[in-house]
Amino acid sequence: MKLILLLIAVPLGFAYYGSTIGTPKATPTPYPPPTVEGLWRIEGHVADEQGKPIEGVCLAIGPVGCQPVSPRSDKAGNFYFDLPVANVDYDFHLTKAGYQQLDARVHPAGPSSFNYVLKKA
């Protein structure tokens, strides 16, 4: 009687690509890569009333509110994102705990830069 040994390869490590437990930690939007053709680069700066940059301000676009994937300001208060080339108005909602929400309707006509000042709550 012959014994046949069957080996099954089992990966030693597993990649985990998401979680349904809790909300992922939001991180500032990284330094901008080059703009893709057909998109307008929107960038800006967020500061407090004394002119100090505010890190971690969430910039929600439209009515859905701040999401884990929403753009956020970096340590220098800078943010950026790309929008499709279009002749439309966008509603921006800037939020951060401890500050009053700032709502702005913008109508970019090309790549644009915006500066916002948030007031303490």
Side-chain angles (χ1 to χ4, degrees), residues 11-70:
L12 296 176
F14 295 93
Y16 189 67
Y17 294 104
S19 171
T20 57
I21 302 171
T23 304
K25 183 180 179 211
T27 57
T29 306
Y31 185 76
T35 304
V36 176
E37 188 175 338
L39 297 176
W40 284 337
R41 171 63 41 95
I42 307 299
E43 53 193 14
H45 181 79
V46 184
D48 65 15
E49 293 175 286
Q50 285 73 46
K52 295 180 183 174
I54 307 173
E55 180 180 10
V57 174
C58 180
L59 197 141
I61 304 165
V64 296
C66 187
Q67 302 294 313
V69 296
S70 296

Side-chain angles (χ1 to χ4, degrees), residues 7 14 20 22 25 28 34-36 47 53 63 67 69 74 81 85 112 115-116 120:
L7 295 175
F14 295 93
T20 57
K25 183 180 179 211
T35 304
V36 176
Q67 302 294 313
V69 296
D74 62 15
F81 54 91
V85 173
S112 303
N115 293 311
Y116 296 107
K120 292 269 187 185

Side-chain angles (χ1 to χ4, degrees), residues 19 27 30 72 91 106:
S19 171
T27 57
R72 286 178 171 68
D91 291 324
V106 299

